Amino acid sequence: MVSKPSEREEEYFARIEFERRKKLEEEKHRKLKEEDKKRLKELHYMKCPKCGMELIEIDYKGIKVDKCSECEGVWLDPGELEAISRFEKTNLDKLFSVFKK
Ligand SMILES: [Zn+2]
């Protein structure tokens, strides 16, 4: 795949920005007590990160897609975005059709 230099630059700056913010967050995590981490996990588990409502989990070809029952946002576990990106177009269409109204 050929990309313009400006596109490569965008990827570079996005990665630098992500790594900068991740370091800041990791510093905060180190300062959190174990009991606070546990409490936060219990509070947020299977809740939408945007609106706080319940997520509904759908298993499609071994990929667990969590979709918000309120705002329709979609949540993927680690590695699942990569797995979906390897799907054939027809399987991708089938996955989307699960959520169609
Ligand atoms: Zn939501």
Side-chain angles (χ1 to χ4, degrees), residues 47-55 68-73:
K47 299 279 193 294
C48 176
K50 288 263 169 90
C51 74
M53 296 292 117
E54 293 290 327
L55 295 174
C68 180
S69 55
E70 174 74 16
C71 76
E72 311 265 299

Side-chain angles (χ1 to χ4, degrees), residues 9 11 15 28 36 47 55 61 67-68 71-73:
E9 217 165 75
E11 285 163 23
R15 194 174 70 236
K28 280 196 234 166
D36 288 335
K47 299 279 193 294
L55 295 174
K61 290 182 181 285
K67 191 173 173 80
C68 180
C71 76
E72 311 265 299

